Amino acid sequence: MKFVGENIAIGNVLVSEIAEKYGTPTYVYDEEKIRSNFRKVNAAFKKYYPDFKMFYAVKSCNNPAIVNILRQEGAGVDAASVNEIRLAKYVGLDGEDVMFSGNFLSDDDIKQGLESGVIFNLDDISILPRMLKYGKPEILSFRVNPGYGKSNVGEYVTNAGPNAKFGIHPDKVMEAYRLAKEAGIKRFGAHMMTGSCITDPEYFPFVTGLLMDIIGKVSKELQIDFEFIDLGGGLGIPYRPDEEGLDLEKAAELTSAMFVKKCEEYGMRRPQLKLEPARYFVGNAGWIVGRVHAIKESYKKIAGTDVGMNTLARPAMYGSYHHIYVDGKENEKRANIGLCGQLCENTDFWVKERELPESIAEGDLIVVENAGAYGFGMSYQYNGRLRPAEVLVKNGETMLIRKREEFEDMIRHTSVPEYLEK
Ligand code: LLP
């Protein structure tokens, strides 16, 4: 995103042109930014640990065009469900380029996961005997809860430690691999995902040490030659203008050093190192272009826009901050103003008060920053406010990559029993 005079452009296209062509609200992604985000992480980690591979967690933004960009860059897919495995296959990724990390799986999930032939990453020891009823995967990994997690989004996305639902308890990890080995499985990996949006570089080596202390002992006692260790996602981005970003170089250097040190300590042959970032790839490469439709002077001034909690759930769900720009007015005098969407819920009043241009008015365009990750993917249709369009920008050109939903999408898959039609 940049300013052209007073106006805002994404990937060299004015947001006013995007709004004119595609309407609002619209998610806009900058292809070059996604590619350069991927390359930054890849270069940083490969420099310190060359046997390194990344899997894009498609839950963050599942548009096939976006998944294809990351596939072209060399990413595999981290899938949370059978449908996300299908999405990976749809873009041409398969086998060991896909990790299946679902949790609390149904028997059907297990069967289809096995049939899909991707890497199975089991969230608990209890799934193992259920899985073995249906078959044996070629390679198996367990998601370990190493006992600690954290996140800049607070407890909401802290995915390990005593309050998390994810992963195997550390005391059960040895038994899990023992049972899997006894069942005849020959190839193994290990996984964790301890928290999302972390900008402290020291965190990554710390949790790597915790995981490796658990896995190192398993490797020694069961003589398992781990083929990969997957440290999950979690690379954070700054959301507030004054917030510091992650020192990627430092995170990569310290994490690799810890990884190598622990491999040596436990006499492990060096496994492939995997990461599953999502937010870092797409978070700051996506924006929402929305429009102000009404201004209310009430207890305070409120700008009503078409960007509601149905469009971007994060502020209402987690109290997350997303920076907002007003096209053409960023240099104007500011005042404390509220901003909301159009839903009949007060959590939709997602900016209670913020310094915004005082002259904000009907018809103005707003641009919501850092909306690429967990934006569209978490949007929904409440109040008949349907899901927005998605547009990709490249070399100054825009491409529609998902149509805006219409009324037919709202009633699709519903049916009315005949007697109710009378
Ligand atoms: N791997 C697994 C198994 C995951 O569950 C996740 C995200 C990732 C990788 C990618 O994590 P990242 O690099 O984006 O931190 N909706 C929340 C975030 C939930 C994260 C869920 N898991 C938010 O909007 O902040």
Side-chain angles (χ1 to χ4, degrees):
M1 197 199 95
K2 65 174 189 192
F3 284 91
V4 181
E6 300 274 287
N7 294 110
I8 299 170
I10 298 172
N12 286 330
V13 186
L14 289 173
V15 293
S16 52
E17 280 173 32
I18 294 172
E20 174 79 17
K21 188 160 177 193
Y22 301 101
T24 58
T26 290
Y27 271 88
V28 185
Y29 305 95
D30 180 342
E31 178 168 337
E32 285 313 315
K33 185 94 183 144
I34 297 173
R35 290 187 188 276
S36 76
N37 286 341
F38 179 93
R39 288 174 195 174
K40 255 197 276 179
V41 186
N42 209 33
F45 276 84
K46 276 212 152 123
K47 178 168 154 198
Y48 297 103
Y49 199 87
D51 188 8
F52 174 69
K53 167 137 179 113
M54 292 198 283
F55 291 71
Y56 168 52
V58 294
K59 69 191 68 143
S60 65
C61 179
N62 68 5
N63 190 297
I66 306 291
V67 187
N68 266 309
I69 294 171
L70 288 156
R71 176 190 55 75
Q72 284 185 346
E73 289 296 326
V77 156
D78 163 53
S81 62
V82 171
N83 281 327
E84 288 191 350
I85 298 176
R86 290 203 182 108
L87 177 63
K89 293 193 180 213
Y90 178 70
V91 303
L93 288 168
D94 208 346
E96 294 183 19
D97 281 333
V98 184
M99 285 280 287
F100 178 31
S101 295
N103 60 88
F104 297 92
L105 301 178
S106 69
D107 276 28
D108 226 37
D109 292 330
I110 295 173
K111 270 191 257 175
Q112 293 189 53
L114 277 171
E115 277 162 22
S116 74
V118 304
I119 301 181
F120 224 128
N121 183 38
L122 293 190
D123 185 67
D124 192 34
I125 187 168
S126 63
I127 320 271
L128 182 63
R130 290 175 57 213
M131 185 188 75
L132 291 171
K133 276 196 307 199
Y134 300 113
K136 236 178 354 188
E138 165 67 26
I139 179 165
L140 183 71
S141 160
F142 284 100
R143 176 171 180 167
V144 176
N145 178 340
Y148 184 79
K150 81 168 184 184
S151 157
N152 293 0
V153 193
E155 274 294 300
Y156 296 110
V157 286
T158 296
N159 294 333
N163 285 327
K165 71 164 183 160
F166 304 103
I168 305 194
H169 188 282
D171 294 349
K172 294 187 174 168
V173 176
M174 185 74 77
E175 187 59 8
Y177 282 101
R178 190 193 312 278
L179 290 175
K181 201 178 168 195
E182 281 169 10
I185 296 169
K186 300 222 157 38
R187 299 175 58 205
F188 291 100
H191 174 276
M192 70 175 169
M193 166 66 198
T194 61
S196 189
C197 202
I198 298 136
T199 47
D200 170 10
E202 313 265 352
Y203 175 80
F204 297 96
F206 173 69
V207 284
T208 301
L210 295 181
L211 176 68
M212 292 303 281
D213 280 336
I214 297 167
I215 291 304
K217 289 180 191 125
V218 173
S219 167
K220 227 175 180 167
E221 188 170 323
L222 303 180
Q223 309 229 302
I224 289 180
D225 224 356
F226 280 88
E227 291 191 20
F228 68 83
I229 304 289
D230 185 332
L231 306 179
L235 305 178
I237 57 168
Y239 280 84
R240 291 175 186 270
D242 56 356
E243 209 181 322
E244 282 226 16
L246 171 68
D247 183 341
L248 197 59
E249 190 64 24
K250 191 168 173 191
E253 183 178 2
L254 297 178
T255 305
S256 309
M258 176 62 86
F259 190 63
V260 168
K261 185 178 122 194
K262 291 291 174 187
C263 286
E264 276 164 15
E265 191 178 324
Y266 292 100
M268 292 168 76
R269 198 139 35 110
R270 288 190 196 171
Q272 183 176 57
L273 182 62
K274 293 182 178 179
L275 272 192
E276 298 168 351
R279 192 188 310 266
Y280 201 90
F281 294 158
V282 294
N284 67 2
W287 296 260
I288 306 167
V289 177
R291 197 177 286 284
V292 177
H293 292 289
I295 302 284
K296 177 180 283 188
E297 300 279 357
S298 180
Y299 290 91
K300 55 182 126 181
K301 181 170 176 173
I302 307 171
T305 75
D306 50 23
V307 181
M309 67 186 200
N310 57 314
T311 325
L312 180 70
R314 303 187 74 255
M317 259 178 104
Y318 315 128
S320 306
Y321 180 93
H322 281 264
H323 199 68
I324 297 166
Y325 299 92
V326 181
D327 189 37
K329 295 194 169 168
E330 278 302 302
N331 295 327
E332 293 191 8
K333 189 167 162 243
R334 303 205 155 232
N336 259 330
I337 293 169
L339 187 140
C340 65
Q342 299 164 307
L343 300 194
C344 305
E345 293 271 348
N346 214 42
T347 37
D348 191 47
F349 190 4
W350 59 277
V351 178
K352 291 286 187 298
E353 211 169 61
R354 194 178 292 181
E355 293 272 311
L356 289 168
E358 191 172 27
S359 67
I360 189 166
E362 282 173 24
D364 281 350
L365 289 175
I366 62 162
V367 177
V368 183
E369 202 174 40
N370 289 321
Y374 311 108
F376 185 95
M378 288 168 61
S379 66
Y380 50 95
Q381 298 179 327
Y382 189 41
N383 276 208
R385 298 287 180 188
L386 306 182
R387 290 189 190 88
E390 291 186 291
V391 166
L392 183 66
V393 182
K394 189 190 184 185
N395 296 334
E397 281 190 25
T398 58
M399 292 155 278
L400 184 66
I401 56 171
R402 191 182 319 245
K403 265 174 68 181
R404 181 178 307 288
E405 283 186 341
E406 296 167 346
F407 172 70
E408 286 67 30
D409 299 306
M410 189 171 108
I411 54 163
R412 191 183 304 287
H413 303 311
T414 64
S415 51
V416 180
E418 215 176 295
Y419 75 94
L420 290 176
E421 284 179 346
K422 290 188 189 120

